[in-house]
């Protein structure tokens, strides 16, 4: 990582899906902290399905923002949603997602959270649910940019829809193979306030003190939120 926060061009050139999957989603025991982190992600998603008064996240359409090359995050949702959209910024990740899509996964789109319509040029009906897991802190170079991006995501949801976020805290960078990519070092309180200011009520907030083996950062954590979009005026 040189010359400041990692930009979009660097992601297109150097983010290799196979390296990312080998580092963070291998189950061969070579990256035990990463396995424990994945377990935490899955536990959070499972708890959400039994937490909400409605009996879980349900609706016609779900959008996953910043899917990366993974689909684990939407597997359980396939039983509750009839129309699922996966999205990512890089074309290599689109290619990986296309391999795993099918059934209720209707489309794979480019996303850019800094646009008023993050899925432009595609225009979709307002969704009932949106996921963005471990993506926003990599895409936003400042707290102001993060707050603005959450507002952009809110525009894709219908009133009463749910936003599910997972953010790695206090992390300045992460490795994919031999390449280093920037992160915005957020605090739990900053994430919580940004979600509230984007027009949501938080129904669930889980915090876990976790760290990766492939970063030098200590005392990192993960903030997981489930928020309900308030009706407009």
């Amino acid at each position: 990582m040189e010359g400041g926060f990692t930009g979009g061009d660097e992601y297109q050139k150097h983010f290799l899906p196979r390296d990312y999957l080998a580092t963070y989603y291998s189950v061969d025991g070579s990256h035990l902290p990463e396995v424990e982190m994945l377990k935490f992600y899955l536990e959070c998603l499972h708890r959400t399905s039994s937490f909400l008064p409605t009996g879980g996240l349900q609706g016609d359409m779900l959008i996953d923002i910043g899917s990366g090359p993974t689909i684990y995050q939407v597997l359980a949702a396939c039983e509750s949603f009839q129309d699922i959209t996966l999205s990512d910024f890089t074309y290599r990740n689109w290619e990986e997602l296309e391999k795993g899509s099918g059934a209720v996964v209707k489309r794979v789109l480019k996303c850019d959270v800094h646009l008023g319509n993050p899925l432009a040029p595609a225009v979709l009906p307002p969704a009932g649910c949106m996921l963005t897991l471990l993506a926003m802190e990599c895409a936003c170079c400042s707290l102001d940019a993060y707050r603005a991006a959450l507002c952009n995501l809110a525009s894709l949801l219908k009133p009463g829809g749910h936003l599910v976020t997972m953010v790695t805290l206090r992390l300045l960078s992460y490795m994919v193979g031999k390449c280093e990519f920037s992160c915005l070092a957020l605090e739990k309180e900053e994430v919580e306030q940004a979600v509230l200011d984007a027009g949501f009520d938080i129904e669930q907030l889980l915090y876990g003190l976790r760290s990766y083996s492939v970063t030098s950062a200590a005392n990192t954590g993960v903030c997981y939120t489930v928020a309900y979009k308030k009706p407009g005026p």
Side-chain angles (χ1 to χ4, degrees):
M1 181 178 62
E2 296 180 359
F5 202 87
T6 309
D9 289 344
E10 286 76 15
Y11 268 91
Q12 295 288 12
K13 293 177 183 177
H14 303 300
F15 189 98
L16 301 180
R18 297 301 175 89
D19 286 349
Y20 176 77
L21 294 171
T23 301
Y24 296 100
Y25 296 93
S26 172
V27 293
D28 62 3
S30 59
H31 297 293
L32 288 178
E34 280 66 45
V35 173
E36 291 302 311
M37 191 79 86
L38 179 57
K39 289 180 180 178
F40 178 73
Y41 307 158
L42 296 175
E43 288 170 2
C44 287
L45 291 170
H46 175 71
R47 289 179 65 176
T48 294
S49 67
S50 59
F51 172 84
L52 296 176
T54 58
L57 301 175
Q58 300 177 6
D60 294 330
M61 179 180 291
L62 178 145
I63 300 173
D64 184 31
I65 296 290
S67 305
T70 67
I71 61 170
Y72 77 90
Q73 65 275 16
V74 300
L75 291 179
C78 291
E79 299 179 359
S80 303
F81 293 88
Q82 299 303 310
D83 186 314
I84 294 178
T85 297
L86 304 177
S87 68
D88 200 77
F89 183 79
T90 75
Y91 73 87
R92 288 190 179 93
N93 284 336
W94 305 339
E95 292 171 352
E96 290 297 318
L97 292 172
E98 290 284 2
K99 296 175 184 177
S101 65
V104 295
V105 175
K106 302 299 185 183
R107 62 195 68 82
V108 176
L109 300 176
K110 179 173 181 175
C111 70
D112 184 341
V113 298
H114 304 298
L115 300 178
N117 172 13
L119 299 177
V123 177
L124 301 181
C129 183
M130 179 180 299
L131 307 181
T132 179
L133 310 182
L134 309 174
M136 297 287 281
E137 66 271 39
C138 306
C140 300
C141 65
S142 68
L143 179 57
D144 285 344
Y146 174 68
R147 293 165 62 88
L150 278 177
C151 292
N152 293 337
L153 296 189
S155 70
L156 299 176
L157 276 172
K158 64 176 62 175
H162 283 91
L163 171 69
V164 180
T165 73
M166 187 176 295
V167 178
T168 307
L169 304 173
R170 297 185 291 276
L171 193 64
L172 292 172
S173 66
Y174 69 105
M175 301 299 296
V176 176
K178 296 181 179 179
C179 295
E180 186 178 11
F181 295 87
S182 305
C183 278
L184 174 62
L186 290 163
E187 297 291 338
K188 177 171 70 71
E189 294 77 14
E190 292 174 328
V191 174
E192 183 177 5
Q193 191 59 54
V195 171
L196 293 173
D197 290 345
F200 295 92
D201 284 334
I202 294 178
E203 294 186 309
Q204 184 182 32
L205 190 151
L206 302 174
Y207 170 74
L209 187 62
R210 299 285 193 279
S211 61
Y212 291 108
S213 66
V214 293
T215 67
S216 58
N219 195 34
T220 57
V222 179
C223 182
Y224 175 86
T225 64
V226 179
Y228 172 91
K229 184 177 178 180
K230 294 183 288 187

